[in-house]
Amino acid sequence: SDLQLEAIAFFNDYDNLLGADTAAGGGTGTGDQYNGGAVNAYGFELGAKYDLAKLTSGDNGLKYPVALAYTFTNAEFRSSFESDLDQWGTVTKGDKLTYLPEHQLYLSLGIESKKWLVSAAAKYISEMRTEAGSGSISYGSGVEDHVVVDVTGEYEIAKSATLFATVYNIFDKEYMVSRLPAGARPGAPLSLISGLKFKF
């Protein structure tokens, strides 16, 4: 009852995948749709949660939660075609989809009491293709792997009010998230968000 384990497998079979030129997706925002043909996407996720306080003797009222999750994803085009969508271009059957990391790893560690908590979380994203293809990712056709660490703290100042603060990318890691639109796009730098949460 102290250890939570989770395993999920998934398989998506697309007969006709559609891509769209949207500003939110890094395009020009025309809204044009592009036919991606048949695609298979599959993988699995493994997760575990545990309170390290269970390993200590006595009860000091503190918890030490740890969580670990790993996700593997593979997605391939099942047909060959020519596309006007830049990130697809000339596609050969078996080519990998773009902007989809094969490996993702998440680890969080924390300490919490009844009134406060502090936790740190690290997320690893493996390299991603920015152009459809197979084999190794050539220079200029991908986004490099990276690790980003966030730290969060909360303090209950009243029964219905909690003060919180989150530091994103605490080590101010410089990393790329996309090559659309118009070349390399950076990830978010070191930043802080804080505020009050109320329960009604």
Side-chain angles (χ1 to χ4, degrees), residues 6-88:
E6 185 176 70
I8 299 170
F10 57 90
F11 178 82
N12 297 301
D13 183 1
Y14 296 96
D15 291 329
N16 185 21
L17 182 73
L18 288 179
D21 180 10
T22 63
T28 60
T30 64
D32 293 342
Q33 292 189 327
Y34 300 90
N35 184 357
V39 172
N40 285 346
Y42 59 89
F44 63 88
E45 181 170 281
L46 304 174
K49 292 181 180 180
Y50 187 69
D51 180 5
L52 295 177
K54 303 293 183 180
L55 300 177
T56 63
S57 58
D59 182 11
N60 59 6
L62 296 177
K63 295 180 179 180
Y64 306 98
V66 57
L68 179 67
Y70 167 75
T71 305
F72 169 81
T73 308
N74 185 57
E76 300 178 354
F77 290 101
R78 305 309 303 156
S79 56
S80 300
F81 61 93
E82 293 280 342
S83 176
D84 291 331
L85 187 63
D86 291 341
Q87 60 182 288
W88 289 351

Coordinates of all heavy atoms in Angstrom, one line a residue, residues 6-88:
E6 N 2.6 1.9 -11.8 CA 1.7 2.1 -12.9 C 2.4 1.7 -14.2 O 3.5 2.1 -14.5 CB 1.2 3.5 -13.0 CG 0.1 3.8 -14.0 CD -0.5 5.2 -13.9 OE1 0.3 6.1 -14.3 OE2 -1.6 5.4 -13.5
A7 N 1.7 1.0 -15.1 CA 2.2 0.7 -16.4 C 1.1 0.8 -17.4 O 0.0 0.3 -17.3 CB 2.8 -0.8 -16.4
I8 N 1.4 1.5 -18.5 CA 0.5 1.8 -19.6 C 1.1 1.5 -20.9 O 2.2 2.0 -21.2 CB 0.0 3.3 -19.5 CG1 -0.7 3.6 -18.2 CG2 -1.0 3.6 -20.7 CD1 -1.0 5.1 -18.0
A9 N 0.4 0.8 -21.8 CA 0.8 0.6 -23.2 C -0.2 1.3 -24.1 O -1.4 1.2 -23.8 CB 1.0 -0.8 -23.5
F10 N 0.2 1.8 -25.2 CA -0.7 2.4 -26.1 C -0.3 2.2 -27.6 O 0.8 2.0 -27.9 CB -0.8 3.9 -25.9 CG 0.5 4.7 -26.0 CD1 0.9 5.2 -27.2 CD2 1.3 4.9 -24.9 CE1 2.1 5.9 -27.3 CE2 2.5 5.6 -25.0 CZ 2.9 6.1 -26.2
F11 N -1.4 2.1 -28.4 CA -1.2 2.0 -29.8 C -2.2 2.8 -30.6 O -3.4 2.6 -30.3 CB -1.3 0.5 -30.3 CG -1.1 0.3 -31.7 CD1 0.2 0.2 -32.3 CD2 -2.2 0.2 -32.6 CE1 0.3 0.0 -33.7 CE2 -2.1 0.0 -33.9 CZ -0.8 -0.1 -34.5
N12 N -1.8 3.7 -31.4 CA -2.7 4.5 -32.2 C -2.5 4.2 -33.7 O -1.3 4.4 -34.2 CB -2.5 6.0 -31.9 CG -2.7 6.4 -30.5 OD1 -3.8 6.2 -30.0 ND2 -1.7 6.9 -29.8
D13 N -3.5 3.9 -34.4 CA -3.5 3.6 -35.8 C -4.3 4.6 -36.6 O -5.5 4.6 -36.6 CB -4.1 2.2 -36.0 CG -4.0 1.7 -37.4 OD1 -3.4 2.5 -38.3 OD2 -4.5 0.6 -37.8
Y14 N -3.6 5.5 -37.2 CA -4.2 6.6 -38.0 C -4.3 6.2 -39.4 O -3.3 5.9 -40.0 CB -3.4 7.9 -37.8 CG -3.4 8.5 -36.5 CD1 -2.3 8.2 -35.6 CD2 -4.4 9.3 -36.0 CE1 -2.2 8.8 -34.3 CE2 -4.3 9.8 -34.7 CZ -3.2 9.6 -33.9 OH -3.2 10.1 -32.6
D15 N -5.5 6.3 -40.0 CA -5.6 6.0 -41.4 C -5.2 7.2 -42.2 O -4.7 7.1 -43.4 CB -7.1 5.7 -41.8 CG -7.5 4.3 -41.2 OD1 -6.6 3.4 -41.1 OD2 -8.7 4.1 -40.9
N16 N -5.5 8.4 -41.7 CA -5.2 9.7 -42.4 C -4.8 10.8 -41.4 O -5.7 11.5 -40.9 CB -6.4 10.1 -43.3 CG -6.1 11.3 -44.1 OD1 -4.9 11.6 -44.4 ND2 -7.1 12.0 -44.6
L17 N -3.6 10.9 -41.1 CA -3.1 11.9 -40.1 C -3.1 13.3 -40.8 O -2.7 13.4 -42.0 CB -1.7 11.6 -39.6 CG -1.1 12.6 -38.6 CD1 -1.8 12.3 -37.2 CD2 0.4 12.4 -38.5
L18 N -3.6 14.3 -40.1 CA -3.7 15.6 -40.7 C -2.7 16.5 -39.9 O -2.7 16.5 -38.7 CB -5.1 16.2 -40.6 CG -6.1 15.6 -41.5 CD1 -7.5 16.3 -41.3 CD2 -5.7 15.8 -43.0
G19 N -1.9 17.3 -40.6 CA -1.1 18.3 -40.1 C -1.7 19.7 -40.4 O -2.3 19.8 -41.5
A20 N -1.5 20.7 -39.6 CA -2.1 22.0 -39.9 C -1.0 23.1 -39.6 O -0.2 23.0 -38.7 CB -3.3 22.2 -39.0
D21 N -1.1 24.1 -40.4 CA -0.2 25.3 -40.3 C -0.9 26.2 -39.3 O -1.7 27.1 -39.7 CB 0.0 25.9 -41.7 CG 0.9 27.2 -41.6 OD1 1.5 27.4 -40.5 OD2 1.0 27.9 -42.6
T22 N -0.5 26.1 -38.0 CA -1.1 27.0 -37.0 C 0.0 27.8 -36.4 O 1.2 27.3 -36.2 CB -1.8 26.2 -35.9 OG1 -0.8 25.3 -35.3 CG2 -2.9 25.3 -36.5
A23 N -0.3 29.0 -35.9 CA 0.7 29.8 -35.2 C 1.1 29.2 -33.9 O 2.3 29.2 -33.5 CB 0.1 31.2 -35.0
A24 N 0.1 28.6 -33.2 CA 0.4 27.9 -31.9 C 1.4 26.7 -32.1 O 2.1 26.4 -31.2 CB -0.9 27.4 -31.3
G25 N 1.3 26.1 -33.3 CA 2.2 25.0 -33.5 C 3.5 25.3 -34.2 O 4.3 24.5 -34.6
G26 N 3.8 26.7 -34.3 CA 5.0 27.1 -34.8 C 5.0 27.5 -36.3 O 6.0 27.7 -36.9
G27 N 3.8 27.4 -36.9 CA 3.7 27.8 -38.3 C 3.4 29.2 -38.5 O 3.6 30.1 -37.7
T28 N 2.9 29.5 -39.8 CA 2.6 30.9 -40.1 C 1.2 31.3 -39.7 O 0.9 32.5 -39.8 CB 2.8 31.1 -41.6 OG1 1.9 30.2 -42.3 CG2 4.3 30.8 -42.0
G29 N 0.4 30.3 -39.4 CA -1.0 30.6 -38.9 C -2.0 30.7 -40.0 O -3.1 31.2 -39.8
T30 N -1.7 30.1 -41.2 CA -2.7 30.1 -42.3 C -3.9 29.2 -42.0 O -4.9 29.4 -42.6 CB -2.0 29.7 -43.6 OG1 -1.6 28.3 -43.5 CG2 -0.9 30.6 -44.0
G31 N -3.7 28.2 -41.2 CA -4.7 27.2 -40.9 C -4.8 26.1 -41.9 O -5.7 25.2 -41.8
D32 N -4.0 26.1 -43.0 CA -4.0 25.1 -44.0 C -3.8 23.7 -43.4 O -2.9 23.6 -42.5 CB -3.0 25.4 -45.1 CG -3.3 26.7 -45.9 OD1 -4.5 27.1 -45.8 OD2 -2.4 27.2 -46.5
Q33 N -4.5 22.7 -43.9 CA -4.3 21.3 -43.5 C -3.5 20.5 -44.5 O -3.7 20.8 -45.7 CB -5.6 20.7 -43.2 CG -6.3 21.3 -41.9 CD -7.5 20.5 -41.5 OE1 -8.2 19.9 -42.3 NE2 -7.8 20.5 -40.2
Y34 N -2.7 19.6 -44.0 CA -1.9 18.7 -44.9 C -2.1 17.3 -44.6 O -2.1 16.9 -43.4 CB -0.4 19.1 -44.7 CG -0.1 20.6 -45.1 CD1 -0.2 21.5 -44.1 CD2 0.2 20.9 -46.4 CE1 0.0 22.9 -44.4 CE2 0.4 22.3 -46.7 CZ 0.4 23.2 -45.7 OH 0.6 24.5 -46.0
N35 N -2.2 16.5 -45.6 CA -2.5 15.0 -45.4 C -1.2 14.3 -45.1 O -0.2 14.4 -45.9 CB -3.1 14.5 -46.7 CG -3.5 13.0 -46.6 OD1 -3.2 12.4 -45.6 ND2 -4.0 12.5 -47.7
G36 N -1.2 13.6 -44.0 CA 0.0 12.8 -43.6 C -0.1 11.3 -43.8 O 0.8 10.6 -43.5
G37 N -1.2 10.9 -44.4 CA -1.4 9.5 -44.7 C -1.5 8.6 -43.4 O -1.8 9.1 -42.3
A38 N -1.2 7.3 -43.6 CA -1.3 6.4 -42.5 C -0.1 6.5 -41.6 O 1.0 6.6 -42.0 CB -1.4 5.0 -43.0
V39 N -0.4 6.4 -40.3 CA 0.7 6.5 -39.2 C 0.4 5.6 -38.1 O -0.8 5.5 -37.7 CB 0.8 8.0 -38.7 CG1 1.7 8.0 -37.5 CG2 1.2 8.9 -39.8
N40 N 1.4 4.9 -37.6 CA 1.3 4.1 -36.4 C 2.1 4.8 -35.3 O 3.3 5.1 -35.5 CB 1.8 2.7 -36.6 CG 0.8 1.8 -37.4 OD1 -0.3 2.2 -37.6 ND2 1.3 0.7 -37.9
A41 N 1.5 5.0 -34.2 CA 2.2 5.5 -33.0 C 1.9 4.6 -31.8 O 0.8 4.3 -31.5 CB 1.7 6.9 -32.7
Y42 N 3.0 4.2 -31.2 CA 2.9 3.2 -30.1 C 4.0 3.5 -29.0 O 5.0 4.2 -29.3 CB 2.9 1.8 -30.6 CG 4.2 1.4 -31.3 CD1 5.3 1.0 -30.6 CD2 4.3 1.6 -32.7 CE1 6.5 0.6 -31.3 CE2 5.5 1.3 -33.3 CZ 6.6 0.8 -32.6 OH 7.7 0.5 -33.3
G43 N 3.8 2.9 -27.9 CA 4.8 3.0 -26.8 C 4.2 2.6 -25.5 O 3.2 1.9 -25.4
F44 N 4.9 3.0 -24.4 CA 4.5 2.6 -23.1 C 5.0 3.6 -22.1 O 5.9 4.4 -22.4 CB 5.0 1.2 -22.7 CG 6.5 1.1 -22.7 CD1 7.2 1.4 -21.5 CD2 7.2 0.7 -23.8 CE1 8.6 1.3 -21.5 CE2 8.6 0.6 -23.7 CZ 9.3 0.9 -22.6
E45 N 4.4 3.6 -20.9 CA 4.8 4.5 -19.8 C 4.9 3.7 -18.5 O 3.9 2.9 -18.2 CB 3.9 5.7 -19.6 CG 4.3 6.7 -18.5 CD 3.6 8.0 -18.5 OE1 3.9 8.8 -19.3 OE2 2.7 8.1 -17.7
L46 N 5.9 3.9 -17.8 CA 6.1 3.2 -16.5 C 6.2 4.3 -15.4 O 6.9 5.3 -15.6 CB 7.3 2.4 -16.4 CG 7.4 1.3 -17.5 CD1 8.8 0.6 -17.4 CD2 6.3 0.2 -17.4
G47 N 5.5 4.2 -14.3 CA 5.6 5.2 -13.2 C 5.6 4.5 -11.9 O 5.1 3.4 -11.6
A48 N 6.2 5.2 -10.9 CA 6.3 4.7 -9.5 C 6.3 5.9 -8.6 O 6.9 7.0 -8.9 CB 7.6 3.9 -9.3
K49 N 5.6 5.8 -7.4 CA 5.6 6.8 -6.4 C 5.8 6.1 -5.1 O 5.3 5.0 -4.8 CB 4.2 7.5 -6.4 CG 4.0 8.4 -7.6 CD 2.6 9.1 -7.5 CE 2.3 9.9 -8.7 NZ 1.0 10.6 -8.6
Y50 N 6.5 6.8 -4.2 CA 6.8 6.2 -2.9 C 7.1 7.3 -1.9 O 7.7 8.4 -2.3 CB 8.0 5.2 -3.0 CG 8.3 4.5 -1.7 CD1 7.4 3.5 -1.2 CD2 9.4 4.7 -0.9 CE1 7.6 2.8 -0.1 CE2 9.7 4.0 0.2 CZ 8.8 3.1 0.7 OH 9.0 2.4 1.8
D51 N 6.8 7.1 -0.6 CA 7.1 8.1 0.4 C 8.3 7.5 1.2 O 8.3 6.5 1.9 CB 5.9 8.2 1.4 CG 6.2 9.2 2.5 OD1 7.3 9.8 2.5 OD2 5.4 9.3 3.4
L52 N 9.5 8.2 1.0 CA 10.7 7.7 1.6 C 10.7 7.7 3.2 O 11.5 7.1 3.8 CB 11.9 8.5 1.1 CG 12.2 8.4 -0.4 CD1 13.4 9.4 -0.7 CD2 12.6 7.0 -0.7
A53 N 9.7 8.4 3.7 CA 9.6 8.5 5.2 C 9.2 7.1 5.7 O 9.5 6.8 6.9 CB 8.5 9.4 5.6
K54 N 8.7 6.2 4.9 CA 8.4 4.8 5.3 C 9.6 4.0 5.6 O 9.6 3.0 6.3 CB 7.6 4.1 4.2 CG 6.3 4.8 3.8 CD 5.3 4.8 4.9 CE 4.0 5.5 4.4 NZ 2.9 5.5 5.4
L55 N 10.8 4.5 5.2 CA 12.0 3.8 5.4 C 12.7 4.2 6.7 O 13.7 3.6 7.1 CB 13.0 4.0 4.3 CG 12.6 3.6 2.9 CD1 13.6 4.0 1.8 CD2 12.3 2.1 2.8
T56 N 12.2 5.3 7.3 CA 12.8 5.8 8.6 C 12.0 5.3 9.8 O 10.8 4.9 9.6 CB 12.8 7.3 8.6 OG1 11.4 7.8 8.5 CG2 13.6 7.8 7.4
S57 N 12.6 5.2 10.9 CA 11.9 4.8 12.1 C 11.4 6.0 12.8 O 11.9 7.1 12.8 CB 12.9 4.1 13.1 OG 14.0 4.9 13.4
G58 N 10.2 5.9 13.4 CA 9.6 7.0 14.1 C 8.7 7.8 13.1 O 8.8 7.6 11.9
D59 N 8.0 8.8 13.7 CA 7.1 9.6 12.9 C 7.3 11.1 13.3 O 6.9 11.5 14.4 CB 5.6 9.2 13.1 CG 4.7 10.0 12.3 OD1 5.1 10.8 11.4 OD2 3.4 9.9 12.5
N60 N 8.0 11.8 12.5 CA 8.2 13.2 12.7 C 7.2 14.1 12.0 O 7.4 15.4 12.0 CB 9.7 13.6 12.4 CG 10.0 13.4 10.9 OD1 9.1 13.0 10.1 ND2 11.2 13.6 10.5
G61 N 6.2 13.5 11.4 CA 5.2 14.3 10.8 C 5.5 14.7 9.4 O 4.8 15.4 8.7
L62 N 6.7 14.4 8.9 CA 7.1 14.8 7.5 C 7.0 13.6 6.5 O 7.1 12.5 6.9 CB 8.6 15.2 7.6 CG 8.9 16.5 8.4 CD1 10.4 16.8 8.4 CD2 8.1 17.7 7.9
K63 N 6.8 14.0 5.3 CA 6.8 13.0 4.2 C 7.9 13.4 3.2 O 8.2 14.6 3.1 CB 5.4 13.1 3.5 CG 4.2 12.6 4.3 CD 2.9 12.7 3.5 CE 1.7 12.2 4.4 NZ 0.5 12.3 3.6
Y64 N 8.4 12.4 2.6 CA 9.4 12.6 1.6 C 9.0 11.9 0.3 O 9.6 10.8 -0.1 CB 10.8 12.0 2.1 CG 11.2 12.6 3.4 CD1 11.0 11.9 4.6 CD2 11.8 13.8 3.5 CE1 11.3 12.4 5.8 CE2 12.2 14.3 4.8 CZ 11.9 13.6 5.9 OH 12.3 14.1 7.2
P65 N 8.1 12.5 -0.4 CA 7.6 11.8 -1.6 C 8.6 11.8 -2.8 O 9.3 12.8 -3.0 CB 6.3 12.6 -2.0 CG 6.6 14.0 -1.4 CD 7.4 13.8 -0.2
V66 N 8.7 10.7 -3.5 CA 9.5 10.6 -4.7 C 8.7 10.0 -5.8 O 7.9 9.1 -5.5 CB 10.8 9.8 -4.4 CG1 10.4 8.4 -3.9 CG2 11.7 9.7 -5.7
A67 N 8.8 10.5 -7.0 CA 8.1 10.0 -8.1 C 9.0 9.9 -9.3 O 9.9 10.7 -9.5 CB 6.9 10.9 -8.5
L68 N 8.8 8.8 -10.1 CA 9.6 8.5 -11.3 C 8.7 8.0 -12.4 O 7.8 7.2 -12.1 CB 10.7 7.5 -10.9 CG 11.6 7.0 -12.1 CD1 12.5 8.2 -12.5 CD2 12.4 5.8 -11.6
A69 N 8.9 8.6 -13.6 CA 8.1 8.1 -14.7 C 9.0 8.1 -16.0 O 9.8 9.0 -16.2 CB 6.9 9.0 -14.9
Y70 N 8.8 7.1 -16.8 CA 9.5 7.0 -18.1 C 8.5 6.7 -19.2 O 7.6 5.9 -19.0 CB 10.5 5.8 -18.0 CG 11.1 5.5 -19.4 CD1 12.0 6.3 -20.0 CD2 10.6 4.4 -20.0 CE1 12.5 6.0 -21.3 CE2 11.1 4.0 -21.3 CZ 12.1 4.9 -21.9 OH 12.5 4.6 -23.2
T71 N 8.6 7.4 -20.3 CA 7.8 7.2 -21.4 C 8.6 6.9 -22.7 O 9.5 7.7 -23.0 CB 6.9 8.4 -21.7 OG1 6.2 8.8 -20.5 CG2 5.9 8.2 -22.8
F72 N 8.2 5.9 -23.4 CA 8.8 5.6 -24.7 C 7.7 5.7 -25.8 O 6.6 5.2 -25.6 CB 9.3 4.1 -24.7 CG 9.7 3.7 -26.1 CD1 10.9 4.0 -26.7 CD2 8.8 2.9 -26.9 CE1 11.3 3.6 -28.0 CE2 9.2 2.5 -28.1 CZ 10.4 2.8 -28.7
T73 N 8.0 6.4 -26.8 CA 7.1 6.6 -27.9 C 7.8 6.4 -29.3 O 8.9 7.0 -29.5 CB 6.5 8.1 -27.9 OG1 6.0 8.3 -26.6 CG2 5.4 8.2 -28.9
N74 N 7.1 5.7 -30.1 CA 7.6 5.6 -31.5 C 6.5 5.8 -32.5 O 5.4 5.3 -32.3 CB 8.2 4.2 -31.7 CG 8.8 4.0 -33.1 OD1 9.7 4.8 -33.5 ND2 8.3 3.1 -33.9
A75 N 6.7 6.6 -33.5 CA 5.6 6.9 -34.5 C 6.2 7.0 -35.8 O 7.2 7.7 -36.1 CB 4.9 8.2 -34.1
E76 N 5.6 6.2 -36.8 CA 6.1 6.1 -38.1 C 5.1 6.3 -39.2 O 3.9 5.9 -39.0 CB 6.8 4.7 -38.3 CG 7.9 4.4 -37.4 CD 8.4 3.0 -37.7 OE1 7.8 2.2 -38.5 OE2 9.4 2.6 -37.0
F77 N 5.5 6.9 -40.3 CA 4.6 7.0 -41.4 C 4.5 5.7 -42.1 O 5.5 5.0 -42.3 CB 5.1 8.1 -42.4 CG 5.0 9.5 -42.0 CD1 6.2 10.1 -41.5 CD2 3.8 10.2 -42.1 CE1 6.1 11.5 -41.0 CE2 3.8 11.5 -41.6 CZ 4.9 12.2 -41.1
R78 N 3.3 5.3 -42.5 CA 3.1 4.0 -43.1 C 2.9 4.1 -44.6 O 2.5 3.1 -45.3 CB 1.9 3.2 -42.5 CG 2.0 3.1 -41.0 CD 3.3 2.5 -40.5 NE 3.6 1.2 -41.1 CZ 4.8 0.6 -41.3 NH1 5.9 1.3 -40.9 NH2 5.0 -0.5 -41.9
S79 N 3.2 5.2 -45.2 CA 3.1 5.4 -46.6 C 4.1 6.5 -47.1 O 4.6 7.3 -46.3 CB 1.7 5.8 -47.0 OG 1.3 7.0 -46.3
S80 N 4.4 6.5 -48.3 CA 5.3 7.5 -48.9 C 4.5 8.5 -49.6 O 3.5 8.2 -50.3 CB 6.3 6.8 -49.9 OG 7.1 5.8 -49.3
F81 N 5.0 9.8 -49.5 CA 4.2 10.9 -50.2 C 5.1 12.1 -50.2 O 6.1 12.2 -49.5 CB 2.9 11.1 -49.4 CG 3.0 11.6 -48.0 CD1 3.1 12.9 -47.6 CD2 3.1 10.6 -47.0 CE1 3.2 13.3 -46.3 CE2 3.3 11.0 -45.7 CZ 3.3 12.3 -45.3
E82 N 4.6 13.1 -50.9 CA 5.2 14.4 -51.0 C 4.3 15.4 -50.3 O 3.1 15.4 -50.5 CB 5.4 14.9 -52.4 CG 6.5 14.1 -53.2 CD 7.9 14.5 -52.9 OE1 8.1 15.6 -52.3 OE2 8.8 13.7 -53.1
S83 N 4.8 16.3 -49.4 CA 4.0 17.2 -48.6 C 4.5 18.6 -48.7 O 5.7 18.8 -48.8 CB 3.9 16.8 -47.1 OG 3.2 17.8 -46.4
D84 N 3.6 19.6 -48.8 CA 4.0 21.0 -48.8 C 4.3 21.5 -47.4 O 4.7 22.6 -47.2 CB 2.9 21.8 -49.4 CG 2.8 21.6 -50.9 OD1 3.8 21.2 -51.5 OD2 1.6 21.7 -51.5
L85 N 4.0 20.7 -46.4 CA 4.3 21.1 -45.0 C 5.8 20.9 -44.8 O 6.3 19.8 -44.9 CB 3.5 20.2 -44.0 CG 3.6 20.5 -42.5 CD1 3.0 21.9 -42.3 CD2 2.8 19.5 -41.7
D86 N 6.5 22.0 -44.5 CA 7.9 22.0 -44.4 C 8.5 20.8 -43.5 O 9.5 20.2 -43.9 CB 8.4 23.3 -43.9 CG 8.2 24.4 -44.9 OD1 8.0 24.1 -46.1 OD2 8.2 25.6 -44.5
Q87 N 7.9 20.6 -42.4 CA 8.5 19.6 -41.5 C 8.3 18.2 -41.9 O 8.9 17.3 -41.4 CB 7.9 19.8 -40.1 CG 6.4 19.6 -40.0 CD 6.0 19.9 -38.6 OE1 6.2 19.0 -37.7 NE2 5.3 21.0 -38.3
W88 N 7.5 17.9 -43.0 CA 7.3 16.6 -43.5 C 8.1 16.5 -44.8 O 8.9 15.6 -45.0 CB 5.8 16.3 -43.7 CG 5.1 16.1 -42.5 CD1 5.6 15.9 -41.2 CD2 3.6 15.9 -42.3 NE1 4.6 15.8 -40.3 CE2 3.4 15.7 -40.9 CE3 2.6 16.0 -43.2 CZ2 2.1 15.6 -40.4 CZ3 1.3 15.8 -42.7 CH2 1.1 15.6 -41.3

